[in-house]
Amino acid sequence: MIVTITPNPSLDRTYELPALSRGEVNRAATDRVDPGGKGVNVARALTAAGHRTTAVLPLGGFSGLLLSDLLLRQGIAVATVPVRGETRINVSIVESDHGLTKINAPGPELSEHESAALLAAVRRDFTGPEVDWLACCGSLPRGLAPDWYAELVGQVHSGGARIALDTSGPALLAALKARPDVVKPNREELAEAVGRPLATVGDVVEAAGELRERGAQQVLASLGADGMLLVAEEGSWFGTAAVAEVRSDVGAGDASLAGFLGAGGSGLKALAAALAHGAAAVRLPGSMMPTPADLDHAAVRVTAEIPAERVLRD
Ligand SMILES: Nc1ncnc2c1ncn2[C@@H]1O[C@H](COP(=O)(O)OP(=O)(O)O)[C@@H](O)[C@H]1O
Ligand SMILES: O=P(O)(O)OC[C@H]1O[C@](O)(COP(=O)(O)O)[C@@H](O)[C@@H]1O
């Protein structure tokens, strides 16, 4: 079983329009609402692939109710912790020619009691031998200390489950010390973690190595349209999956992590699955998660020969 925790979940609202005019009234051509937050998306993709999973999340207010209803209708198993604040709504604006603009809300501030209740919910129900992986995903809401994931990883690791971590900034740096089994930074998050820009695949390999020295056992670095790199003790692999038409890259990293964990969570096969899921996610609207029917395994290329000199796109 793969459990995900999302301390700051969201409703993801996506508007598609030809072009955004700043300072004007804009009329969207399409409007959709998806359940969101990184661990929620990982659980959605895993459920779509037939894996046993539960998403743990705090929920509050009217948008919390709507999120819970959407998840119920999609058949996602959830364990919720009620909070007083309102669950956030994140907005994506997709323009035909200019790509994606995202506005992520801060979300509710959790009280000390709510923060402890969220930790306790995982510790109480999801540290048994049936839990293979705990995926700790997304930003921490206000009220949670930067070492909140570090504490959770420490507690869950001692129960035997493996840990995947997809977060950024101080929360990522603090949790490395608890030796997560895999971390999944994107290029910007990895650059921030090592404190310098990453221009080539070789730069990414070096930065991933630094995160491993600081405690991460594997680093799955996602590089948007440039593909993905896995750096682990057994070796390093680089891969790409061509996409003819990108519709929305919201949640592509989450779909990738779901593919990686669903395929065992280590090695070349898991990297290939992550690439297939990421590519499928960007072909779909909003933060829609791919099903196995959406995957194009033939488009995936994975190699142990790392193209270190390859320059990453701007
Ligand atoms: N524009 C794109 N074209 C092709 N594949 C993409 C594109 N954007 C994302 N992907 C795929 O999805 C994966 C995750 O996307 P990325 O943007 O790196 O993560 P995140 O969503 O966490 O920021 C990439 O490694 C790649 O496989
Ligand atoms: O927790 P964060 O970092 O604010 O991100 C939350 C957002 O990330 C998502 O999980 C999408 O992931 P990406 O932004 O990495 O594509 C959305 O569902 C959600 O709105």
Side-chain angles (χ1 to χ4, degrees):
M1 178 184 192
I2 301 173
V3 176
T4 72
I5 177 145
T6 315
N8 202 3
S10 57
L11 279 176
D12 285 356
R13 184 167 278 280
T14 307
Y15 298 118
E16 290 181 316
L17 69 177
L20 181 72
S21 307
R22 289 175 81 177
E24 306 282 333
V25 173
N26 291 266
R27 295 200 187 272
T30 66
D31 167 18
R32 57 176 293 136
V33 179
D34 292 292
K38 297 193 194 304
V40 169
N41 293 339
V42 171
R44 290 165 65 207
L46 286 168
T47 302
H51 293 283
R52 219 176 125 220
T53 178
T54 297
V56 183
L57 60 158
L59 284 183
F62 180 71
S63 49
L65 280 178
L66 185 52
L67 176 54
S68 132
D69 185 56
L70 287 171
L71 290 170
L72 194 72
R73 280 194 264 153
Q74 293 187 10
I76 316 295
V78 291
T80 59
V81 173
V83 294
R84 277 171 67 95
E86 176 98 15
T87 297
R88 65 185 170 153
I89 299 175
N90 291 342
V91 177
S92 296
I93 299 164
V94 183
E95 296 174 81
S96 310
D97 296 331
H98 300 288
L100 174 82
T101 305
K102 266 206 90 179
I103 302 170
N104 283 6
E109 177 162 359
L110 268 56
S111 68
E112 222 171 281
H113 172 74
E114 290 166 343
S115 159
L118 201 54
L119 268 184
V122 180
R123 203 177 34 227
R124 190 185 57 233
D125 297 330
F126 300 108
T127 43
E130 73 283 4
V131 179
D132 300 305
W133 283 93
L134 174 71
C136 305
C137 302
S139 60
L140 293 177
R142 290 167 298 162
L144 265 57
D147 64 354
W148 191 87
Y149 276 136
E151 195 178 337
L152 179 65
V153 173
Q155 289 179 3
V156 173
H157 245 171
S158 55
R162 285 173 290 169
I163 306 288
L165 177 71
D166 181 4
T167 190
S168 55
L172 168 62
L173 295 180
L176 290 176
K177 297 183 193 89
R179 295 192 49 74
D181 298 82
V182 60
V183 297
K184 195 223 74 64
N186 64 22
R187 179 179 167 191
E188 292 73 32
E189 292 161 348
L190 186 55
E192 186 192 6
V194 297
R196 57 178 187 274
L198 307 173
T200 64
V201 173
D203 291 346
V204 176
V205 175
E206 209 170 297
E210 279 180 41
L211 258 50
R212 291 197 62 243
E213 276 164 25
R214 290 198 236 167
Q217 300 190 43
Q218 305 180 86
V219 178
L220 179 65
S222 67
L223 306 172
D226 289 304
M228 220 177 283
L229 178 84
L230 176 64
V231 179
E233 196 178 353
E234 318 85 83
S236 300
W237 297 273
F238 175 77
T240 56
V243 174
E245 198 191 338
V246 173
R247 179 103 186 252
S248 162
D249 59 11
V250 182
D254 308 333
S256 307
L257 183 58
F260 186 78
L261 298 179
S266 66
L268 181 139
K269 265 172 69 180
L271 174 62
L275 282 156
H277 280 75
V282 300
R283 289 194 297 263
L284 296 167
S287 59
M288 203 169 160
M289 288 292 115
T291 66
D294 297 312
L295 306 180
D296 177 7
H297 296 286
V300 175
R301 300 277 175 276
V302 182
T303 173
E305 282 161 36
I306 310 292
E309 307 297 319
R310 184 175 300 175
V311 176
L312 301 171
R313 292 165 222 208
D314 281 333

